[in-house]
Amino acid sequence: MTDEPGMTGDARGAAEPEGRAPDPTGDATVIGPFLMAIEGPIGVGKTTLARLLQPRFGSTLVLEAFEENPFLSDFYGDRARYAFQTQMFFLLSRYRQQQSIRSILLDEPVISDYTFGKDSLFAHLNLAGDELEMYRRLYAVLAERVASPDLVLYLQADTDVLMARIAARDRPYERKMDRDYIADVNEAYERYFANYRRTPLLSLDTNNLNYVQDASALAFVEGKAREALGIGGYQQTLPQMERSMVATIQRPRPEEARHQLGRDVLHEFMSANQALARIGRILVDEEASHEQVLSMRRALHDALGHLECVAGAVGVELER
């Protein structure tokens, strides 16, 4: 269920976004904010890659705070008993973190080591019956309020490679990790991304891709990511490297992209209306309390944020 530091050993998750790093390339073509999310099964190296790419894109780093989950250790000991508590904690924790991403994207790019969609993937793997149905209802409500990535990097590796990487980082609660469970997770990711069309998708075979120790491998990944995002500022990899490293870019069909854009803009518009309605209810109260005034200020801030997203989507620049 967790995200992971990957191939560098231990790296801690962060409940709040980490600071923005300067772009060492000095690339002036990176014009606006973007959200790049890195995905893949447990042990594949998502957090490691996110940390390595952050300074290259001058982005804010948002890492999944998996270590905050108090049920995680118990879950690995008895998945059937602790699956629901573990999953619900992750769902709400990830949703809270995704809301901070929305605010950051108003000003700067973000690289994250997970997508919100992974929560549903693990829920369908670990829950069943009434618990799964309850989860689905809550997830459907929350997912509509989460920003879609501009690019998803899907890291792939064989199950034996994943098990070796998990053993190398040697987390206490992962020492008894069931290989069959990791195989199930790996297969679930393969199924999930087999027909994935929501956002541009960059798939990378990491079985022989050591971007930790091989600078050319990291440059290869960065170049492919920049290509998929449509931004420049990277050095073209050598032809022999292109042949030895497997990477494929998939983009949604134009009609799918337009549909997703329409849904996102509509959601932002409706959220702005809800915030304005909260303001209206307070304004009609002639004896509004100090707490209500503070609530109105928060609602106004929310409304402005949603309206800025709508304006940005349709190419209107709002003056502050």
Side-chain angles (χ1 to χ4, degrees):
M1 275 196 179
T2 70
D3 212 322
E4 74 300 323
M7 294 179 286
T8 60
D10 187 34
R12 299 192 177 187
E16 300 300 332
E18 299 194 1
R20 183 177 183 179
D23 183 354
T25 66
D27 178 24
T29 64
V30 183
I31 299 173
F34 61 82
L35 171 57
M36 177 164 59
I38 303 174
E39 264 297 358
I42 299 169
V44 77
K46 300 183 289 294
T47 304
T48 298
L49 183 58
R51 288 187 182 278
L52 291 171
L53 290 179
Q54 177 198 16
R56 290 172 172 258
F57 284 90
S59 65
T60 292
L61 183 63
V62 177
L63 302 179
E64 182 180 19
F66 60 88
E67 291 180 339
E68 292 183 354
N69 194 324
F71 305 105
L72 188 58
S73 180
D74 292 330
F75 168 78
Y76 283 125
D78 189 343
R79 293 201 304 274
R81 181 178 179 182
Y82 292 100
F84 185 71
Q85 301 97 309
T86 305
Q87 198 63 56
M88 293 304 292
F89 186 96
F90 270 134
L91 175 63
L92 298 177
S93 173
R94 288 163 178 159
Y95 175 72
R96 176 178 61 84
Q97 207 172 34
Q98 290 293 313
Q99 297 313 294
S100 71
I101 290 178
R102 276 189 175 275
S103 300
I104 299 168
L105 285 172
L106 295 174
D107 301 306
E108 56 194 60
V110 174
I111 294 179
S112 177
D113 64 349
Y114 74 100
T115 64
F116 191 69
K118 78 173 288 182
D119 204 275
S120 178
L121 183 152
F122 278 95
H124 284 79
L125 194 62
N126 294 303
L127 302 179
D130 292 341
E131 290 183 343
L132 180 57
E133 181 58 30
M134 184 183 302
Y135 171 88
R136 282 173 173 168
R137 292 180 180 180
L138 180 56
Y139 176 85
V141 173
L142 299 182
E144 290 291 332
R145 303 166 183 255
V146 171
S148 295
D150 296 287
L151 175 65
V152 174
L153 269 66
Y154 169 37
L155 307 184
Q156 300 167 288
D158 296 338
T159 299
D160 287 339
V161 173
L162 298 175
M163 292 300 295
R165 293 176 183 173
I166 292 170
R169 70 190 185 193
D170 194 31
R171 290 181 185 168
Y173 57 83
E174 291 180 342
R175 288 172 184 166
K176 296 182 180 180
M177 185 72 74
D178 184 358
R179 185 189 185 283
D180 290 340
Y181 177 67
I182 297 301
D184 289 342
V185 170
N186 207 8
E187 291 174 5
Y189 268 101
E190 290 175 359
R191 290 193 300 270
Y192 179 75
F193 283 114
N195 298 301
Y196 183 86
R197 294 292 184 274
R198 287 198 63 188
T199 67
L201 176 69
L202 172 59
S203 299
L204 293 164
D205 183 345
T206 71
N207 282 303
N208 299 301
L209 185 64
N210 191 345
Y211 42 72
V212 176
Q213 298 179 348
D214 185 351
S216 62
L218 180 60
F220 170 81
V221 175
E222 179 192 358
K224 286 297 181 182
R226 287 182 178 271
E227 177 186 349
L229 287 167
I231 57 180
Y234 69 93
Q235 185 175 0
Q236 187 68 35
T237 52
L238 297 175
Q240 59 267 30
M241 183 170 291
E242 290 280 358
R243 289 193 296 268
S244 63
M245 299 180 182
V246 179
T248 58
I249 299 174
Q250 297 173 218
R251 302 184 187 278
R253 292 188 293 270
E255 61 272 19
E256 292 175 329
R258 286 194 297 270
H259 177 67
Q260 183 61 40
L261 175 62
R263 287 186 60 188
D264 289 345
V265 174
L266 178 60
H267 168 68
E268 294 293 346
F269 177 74
M270 293 178 65
S271 297
N273 275 337
Q274 290 172 358
L276 291 171
R278 282 155 45 203
I279 296 172
R281 287 193 295 269
I282 296 173
L283 288 175
V284 298
D285 186 350
E286 296 181 355
E287 299 181 356
S289 66
H290 177 66
E291 288 74 16
Q292 286 177 305
V293 173
L294 292 178
S295 177
M296 183 175 67
R297 290 177 180 175
R298 290 193 294 269
L300 181 58
H301 181 271
D302 290 344
L304 289 172
H306 292 303
L307 288 173
E308 284 180 338
C309 290
V310 173
V314 297
V316 175
E317 184 175 350
L318 298 180
E319 294 185 2
R320 290 184 176 271

